[in-house]
Amino acid sequence: GAMSEAVAKESLEQDGEGGSRRSSLGLLVTAGVGGTLVALYAVVTPFVTPALRKVCLPFVPATATQIQNVLKMLENRSGPLVDIGSGDGRIVIAAAKKGFKAVGYELNPWLVWYSRYRAWRDGVHQNTKFYISDLWKVSFSHYTNIVVFGVPQMMPQLEKKLEEELECNARIIACRFPFPSWIPDHTTGEGIDTVWAYDLKHYRRSETKSLEITPETES
Protein backbone atom coordinates (compact mmCIF):
# COMPACT_ATOMS: atom_id res chain seq x y z
CA GLY A 1 0.00 0.00 0.00
CA ALA A 2 0.92 3.67 0.22
CA MET A 3 2.54 3.13 3.61
CA SER A 4 4.82 0.38 2.26
CA GLU A 5 5.86 2.61 -0.66
CA ALA A 6 6.62 5.49 1.71
CA VAL A 7 8.77 3.27 3.93
CA ALA A 8 10.57 1.88 0.88
CA LYS A 9 11.21 5.39 -0.44
CA GLU A 10 12.62 6.44 2.94
CA SER A 11 14.91 3.41 2.92
CA LEU A 12 16.21 4.36 -0.53
CA GLU A 13 16.82 7.97 0.50
CA GLN A 14 18.67 6.91 3.66
CA ASP A 15 20.98 4.70 1.65
CA GLY A 16 21.92 7.64 -0.57
CA GLU A 17 24.57 6.81 -3.14
CA GLY A 18 26.00 4.06 -0.93
CA GLY A 19 25.08 1.31 -3.38
CA SER A 20 22.15 0.24 -5.49
CA ARG A 21 22.42 -3.36 -4.31
CA ARG A 22 21.75 -2.36 -0.72
CA SER A 23 18.92 -0.07 -1.84
CA SER A 24 17.33 -2.87 -3.85
CA LEU A 25 17.46 -5.19 -0.88
CA GLY A 26 15.89 -2.54 1.33
CA LEU A 27 13.14 -2.07 -1.24
CA LEU A 28 12.45 -5.80 -1.35
CA VAL A 29 12.32 -6.09 2.42
CA THR A 30 10.05 -3.12 2.94
CA ALA A 31 7.81 -3.97 0.00
CA GLY A 32 7.34 -7.51 1.26
CA VAL A 33 6.68 -6.85 4.92
CA GLY A 34 6.57 -3.06 5.29
CA GLY A 35 2.83 -2.88 5.94
CA THR A 36 3.05 -5.56 8.58
CA LEU A 37 6.05 -3.95 10.29
CA VAL A 38 4.34 -0.58 10.53
CA ALA A 39 1.26 -2.31 11.92
CA LEU A 40 3.35 -3.66 14.80
CA TYR A 41 3.35 -0.21 16.32
CA ALA A 42 -0.42 0.05 16.03
CA VAL A 43 -1.26 -3.45 17.28
CA VAL A 44 0.37 -4.75 20.44
CA THR A 45 0.93 -8.47 19.96
CA PRO A 46 0.95 -10.39 23.24
CA PHE A 47 2.76 -13.68 23.60
CA VAL A 48 2.77 -16.32 26.32
CA THR A 49 5.90 -17.61 28.03
CA PRO A 50 5.63 -21.40 27.63
CA ALA A 51 6.94 -22.11 31.13
CA LEU A 52 4.42 -19.68 32.62
CA ARG A 53 1.24 -20.14 30.62
CA LYS A 54 -0.71 -17.68 32.74
CA VAL A 55 1.80 -14.86 32.21
CA CYS A 56 1.08 -12.72 29.17
CA LEU A 57 3.98 -10.55 28.05
CA PRO A 58 2.83 -7.73 25.77
CA PHE A 59 5.21 -5.93 23.45
CA VAL A 60 5.90 -2.54 25.01
CA PRO A 61 8.74 -0.69 23.26
CA ALA A 62 11.57 0.66 25.41
CA THR A 63 11.49 4.43 25.76
CA ALA A 64 14.42 6.60 24.69
CA THR A 65 15.11 7.36 28.37
CA GLN A 66 15.14 3.66 29.24
CA ILE A 67 17.66 2.99 26.50
CA GLN A 68 19.91 5.78 27.78
CA ASN A 69 19.63 4.40 31.33
CA VAL A 70 20.59 0.91 30.13
CA LEU A 71 23.59 2.31 28.25
CA LYS A 72 24.62 4.19 31.40
CA MET A 73 24.69 0.86 33.28
CA LEU A 74 26.89 -0.59 30.51
CA GLU A 75 29.58 2.11 30.73
CA ASN A 76 33.09 0.63 31.15
CA ARG A 77 31.67 -2.86 30.60
CA SER A 78 32.89 -5.34 27.98
CA GLY A 79 31.98 -8.78 26.72
CA PRO A 80 28.92 -10.11 24.90
CA LEU A 81 25.46 -8.77 25.66
CA VAL A 82 22.04 -10.42 25.54
CA ASP A 83 18.61 -8.80 25.71
CA ILE A 84 16.00 -11.23 27.09
CA GLY A 85 12.69 -10.26 25.52
CA SER A 86 14.28 -8.03 22.90
CA GLY A 87 11.03 -6.79 21.30
CA ASP A 88 11.78 -4.73 18.20
CA GLY A 89 15.53 -4.82 18.88
CA ARG A 90 16.14 -1.25 19.96
CA ILE A 91 18.24 -2.14 23.05
CA VAL A 92 20.37 -4.63 21.08
CA ILE A 93 20.91 -2.10 18.28
CA ALA A 94 21.80 0.69 20.72
CA ALA A 95 24.33 -1.58 22.46
CA ALA A 96 25.84 -2.64 19.13
CA LYS A 97 26.36 1.02 18.24
CA LYS A 98 28.41 1.31 21.45
CA GLY A 99 30.65 -1.55 20.33
CA PHE A 100 29.00 -4.57 21.98
CA LYS A 101 28.42 -7.90 20.27
CA ALA A 102 24.72 -8.01 21.08
CA VAL A 103 22.10 -10.74 20.84
CA GLY A 104 18.34 -10.62 21.32
CA TYR A 105 15.95 -13.45 22.24
CA GLU A 106 12.30 -12.91 21.45
CA LEU A 107 9.36 -15.30 21.09
CA ASN A 108 7.38 -13.17 18.63
CA PRO A 109 8.68 -13.94 15.09
CA TRP A 110 7.37 -10.69 13.58
CA LEU A 111 9.38 -8.67 16.08
CA VAL A 112 12.51 -10.74 15.44
CA TRP A 113 12.27 -10.22 11.67
CA TYR A 114 11.67 -6.53 12.19
CA SER A 115 14.69 -6.33 14.56
CA ARG A 116 16.91 -7.90 11.90
CA TYR A 117 15.67 -5.39 9.34
CA ARG A 118 16.31 -2.44 11.70
CA ALA A 119 19.82 -3.71 12.50
CA TRP A 120 20.57 -3.94 8.76
CA ARG A 121 19.09 -0.48 8.16
CA ASP A 122 21.19 1.03 10.98
CA GLY A 123 24.37 -0.65 9.74
CA VAL A 124 25.00 -2.86 12.81
CA HIS A 125 23.76 -6.22 11.47
CA GLN A 126 27.29 -7.68 11.68
CA ASN A 127 27.40 -7.10 15.45
CA THR A 128 23.84 -8.24 16.20
CA LYS A 129 21.88 -11.48 16.16
CA PHE A 130 18.22 -12.10 16.90
CA TYR A 131 16.69 -15.46 17.73
CA ILE A 132 13.09 -16.64 17.89
CA SER A 133 13.36 -18.62 21.10
CA ASP A 134 11.79 -19.49 24.42
CA LEU A 135 14.07 -17.96 27.07
CA TRP A 136 13.54 -20.92 29.42
CA LYS A 137 15.19 -23.25 26.90
CA VAL A 138 18.28 -21.08 26.36
CA SER A 139 21.46 -21.01 28.44
CA PHE A 140 22.86 -17.52 29.03
CA SER A 141 26.09 -18.81 30.58
CA HIS A 142 28.49 -17.18 28.07
CA TYR A 143 27.06 -13.65 28.38
CA THR A 144 28.59 -11.08 30.72
CA ASN A 145 25.93 -8.38 30.20
CA ILE A 146 22.26 -9.32 30.45
CA VAL A 147 19.34 -6.97 29.90
CA VAL A 148 15.87 -8.12 31.01
CA PHE A 149 12.44 -6.73 30.19
CA GLY A 150 10.08 -8.90 32.22
CA VAL A 151 6.97 -8.88 34.36
CA PRO A 152 6.82 -9.48 38.14
CA GLN A 153 5.38 -13.01 37.78
CA MET A 154 8.44 -14.29 35.88
CA MET A 155 11.21 -12.54 37.83
CA PRO A 156 11.65 -15.07 40.70
CA GLN A 157 12.11 -17.98 38.29
CA LEU A 158 14.39 -15.94 36.01
CA GLU A 159 16.46 -14.79 39.00
CA LYS A 160 17.10 -18.42 39.94
CA LYS A 161 17.94 -19.40 36.34
CA LEU A 162 20.45 -16.57 35.88
CA GLU A 163 22.10 -17.16 39.26
CA GLU A 164 22.67 -20.81 38.32
CA GLU A 165 23.97 -20.14 34.79
CA LEU A 166 26.00 -16.93 34.83
CA GLU A 167 29.66 -16.39 35.67
CA CYS A 168 30.52 -14.17 38.63
CA ASN A 169 31.63 -11.28 36.37
CA ALA A 170 28.14 -10.92 34.87
CA ARG A 171 26.00 -7.81 35.27
CA ILE A 172 22.22 -8.16 35.00
CA ILE A 173 20.24 -5.04 34.09
CA ALA A 174 16.50 -5.13 34.81
CA CYS A 175 14.09 -2.67 33.21
CA ARG A 176 10.63 -1.71 34.57
CA PHE A 177 10.61 -4.38 37.30
CA PRO A 178 13.42 -5.33 39.73
CA PHE A 179 14.34 -8.85 40.80
CA PRO A 180 12.59 -9.94 44.02
CA SER A 181 15.55 -11.14 46.15
CA TRP A 182 18.63 -9.41 44.79
CA ILE A 183 19.69 -5.99 46.05
CA PRO A 184 20.70 -3.73 43.14
CA ASP A 185 24.24 -2.39 43.03
CA HIS A 186 23.17 0.59 40.94
CA THR A 187 19.80 2.21 40.18
CA THR A 188 18.99 5.01 37.76
CA GLY A 189 15.86 6.61 36.33
CA GLU A 190 12.35 7.11 37.64
CA GLY A 191 8.96 5.47 37.15
CA ILE A 192 8.72 3.16 34.13
CA ASP A 193 12.20 4.29 33.06
CA THR A 194 13.86 2.93 36.21
CA VAL A 195 16.75 0.54 35.57
CA TRP A 196 18.38 -1.72 38.18
CA ALA A 197 21.87 -3.24 37.79
CA TYR A 198 23.01 -6.33 39.71
CA ASP A 199 26.62 -7.57 39.83
CA LEU A 200 26.51 -11.32 40.33
CA LYS A 201 29.95 -11.43 42.01
CA HIS A 202 28.41 -10.21 45.26
CA TYR A 203 26.03 -13.14 45.42
CA ARG A 204 28.70 -15.67 44.49
CA ARG A 205 30.94 -14.21 47.21
CA SER A 206 28.18 -14.68 49.82
CA GLU A 207 27.66 -18.29 48.72
CA THR A 208 31.40 -19.00 49.05
CA LYS A 209 31.51 -17.35 52.47
CA SER A 210 28.60 -19.43 53.74
CA LEU A 211 30.38 -22.59 52.60
CA GLU A 212 33.58 -21.56 54.37
CA ILE A 213 31.95 -21.07 57.76
CA THR A 214 30.32 -24.51 57.91
CA PRO A 215 31.58 -26.30 61.07
CA GLU A 216 34.28 -28.91 60.62
CA THR A 217 33.58 -32.44 61.78
CA GLU A 218 35.94 -33.89 64.37
CA SER A 219 37.97 -36.92 63.35
Side-chain angles (χ1 to χ4, degrees), residues 103-117:
V103 173
Y105 285 92
E106 170 64 50
L107 203 56
N108 187 318
W110 291 107
L111 293 174
V112 170
W113 295 330
Y114 185 46
S115 298
R116 291 169 180 166
Y117 164 71

Side-chain angles (χ1 to χ4, degrees), residues 144-214:
T144 52
N145 302 285
I146 298 88
V147 181
V148 179
F149 276 79
V151 292
Q153 296 94 322
M154 69 180 280
M155 298 304 266
Q157 189 175 348
L158 185 57
E159 181 181 84
K160 182 180 178 182
K161 174 180 169 63
L162 294 177
E163 194 165 348
E164 288 174 353
E165 292 179 355
L166 298 177
E167 297 293 334
C168 62
N169 63 337
R171 170 170 288 187
I172 302 103
I173 299 169
C175 304
R176 293 200 179 98
F177 299 102
F179 284 97
S181 302
W182 293 341
I183 299 171
D185 295 278
H186 310 280
T187 305
T188 189
E190 298 178 351
I192 63 166
D193 295 323
T194 304
V195 169
W196 299 265
Y198 307 84
D199 291 329
L200 202 61
K201 62 185 178 183
H202 299 151
Y203 300 98
R204 289 291 160 80
R205 200 175 291 151
S206 337
E207 288 173 8
T208 307
K209 204 174 288 183
S210 65
L211 289 173
E212 288 173 353
I213 61 174
T214 52

